């Protein structure tokens, strides 16, 4: 993708947000919905879940590649070709679902939908480790920027080559991985608009305990990243973090918190929520939009019902 295509991609992103009334809707938890349907990895329900979110009003579909890593696939006995094919498939499933849905609704003279964008999910190094370290940022003394770039490089190349509309780096816990991502985007000349989203365990800092000022200062120097934000943090933290980010960056802000349940990485289970059910997200989304968020959705343990509530609230309360 050259500079002209990169400019067109960024323009498409901004136009989608504008068409959505100034705040687009991201989809919700994928694994949760797949569990409800009892899907396996090769099951066609992967596409069906994307369609459910589109029907619920999502303007952005996030692919199923969050924990899909080449080292992970190789460790399970797959070949490099098979691993890369699965990464490409995650993007193709979302694009095909988007196109199928749009071709159907676009034939109708009246519909409230926008042609959704596809964001290729790139989970953090901690997500690959599957030890909860994406919520701590504690990767060990032997992990540096160079090793993190090497870890992400081929996956980013393959996902970008599948031509999504956005590259979505999710649940990034620290400044170190932020720096690695920024350098990698430059080295690989990635011109697809990217977002980098963090979690937070206290509503004030990145998961590592570092300040967001430290993390965003790295992003602010990059022209490759169009969006920053928060994902998989409790909803009660989001409004304050949007306001904090507004002071620290001019980038667009995306927020897609979890349901309010807390993941216990050691026990490998979700702990009960302190707040928020699906029907709370509509009113919360209005507050988040008014605080400055440009993309709003859900993460772990949210559902199409969550996204439908957000979408309905956004469309009902547009300041046009």
């Amino acid at each position: 993708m050259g500079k002209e295509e990169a400019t067109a991609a960024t323009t498409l992103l901004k136009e989608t947000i504008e068409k959505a009334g100034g705040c687009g809707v991201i989809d919700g938890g994928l694994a949760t919905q797949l569990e409800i349907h009892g899907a396996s990895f090769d099951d066609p329900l992967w596409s069906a879940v994307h369609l459910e979110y589109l029907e619920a009003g999502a303007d952005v579909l996030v692919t199923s590649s969050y924990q899909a890593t080449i080292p992970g696939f190789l460790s399970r006995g797959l070949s490099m070709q098979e691993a890369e094919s699965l990464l490409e498939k995650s993007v193709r499933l979302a694009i095909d679902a988007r196109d199928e849905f749009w071709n159907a609704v676009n034939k109708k003279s009246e519909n409230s939908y926008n042609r959704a964008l596809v964001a290729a999910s790139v989970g953090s190094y901690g997500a690959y480790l599957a030890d909860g370290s994406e919520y701590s940022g504690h990767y060990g003394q032997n992990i540096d920027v160079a090793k993190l770039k090497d870890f992400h490089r081929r996956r980013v190349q393959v996902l970008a080559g599948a031509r999504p509309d956005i590259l979505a780096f999710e649940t990034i816990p620290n400044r170190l991985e932020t720096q690695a991502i920024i350098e990698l985007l430059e080295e690989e000349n990635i011109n697809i608009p990217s977002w980098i989203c963090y979690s937070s365990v206290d509503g004030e800092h990145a998961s590592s305990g570092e300040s967001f000022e430290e993390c965003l200062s790295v992003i602010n120097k990059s022209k490759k990243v169009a969006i920053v934000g928060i994902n998989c943090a409790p909803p009660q933290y989001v409004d304050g973090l949007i306001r904090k980010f507004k002071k620290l960056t001019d980038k667009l802000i995306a927020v897609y918190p979890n349901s309010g349940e807390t993941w216990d990485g050691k026990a490998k289970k979700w702990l009960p929520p302190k707040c928020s059910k699906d029907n709370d997200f509509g009113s919360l989304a209005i507050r988040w939009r008014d605080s400055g968020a440009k993309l709003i959705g859900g993460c772990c343990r949210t559902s199409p019902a969550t996204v439908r509530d957000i979408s309905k609230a956004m469309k009902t309360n547009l300041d046009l």
Side-chain angles (χ1 to χ4, degrees), residues 178 182 196 198 215-222 225 228 251:
T178 305
I182 295 300
I196 296 179
Y198 300 87
C215 296
L216 296 187
S217 65
V218 179
I219 293 176
N220 287 338
K221 298 172 185 176
S222 172
V225 179
V228 299
K251 307 285 187 183

Side-chain angles (χ1 to χ4, degrees), residues 19 98-115:
K19 288 177 181 177
R98 184 270 310 279
D99 291 347
E100 176 186 339
F101 181 79
W102 183 244
N103 288 337
V105 300
N106 200 34
K107 294 176 182 177
K108 300 177 182 179
S109 58
E110 293 185 11
N111 74 80
S112 59
Y113 295 105
N114 298 308
R115 185 176 183 274

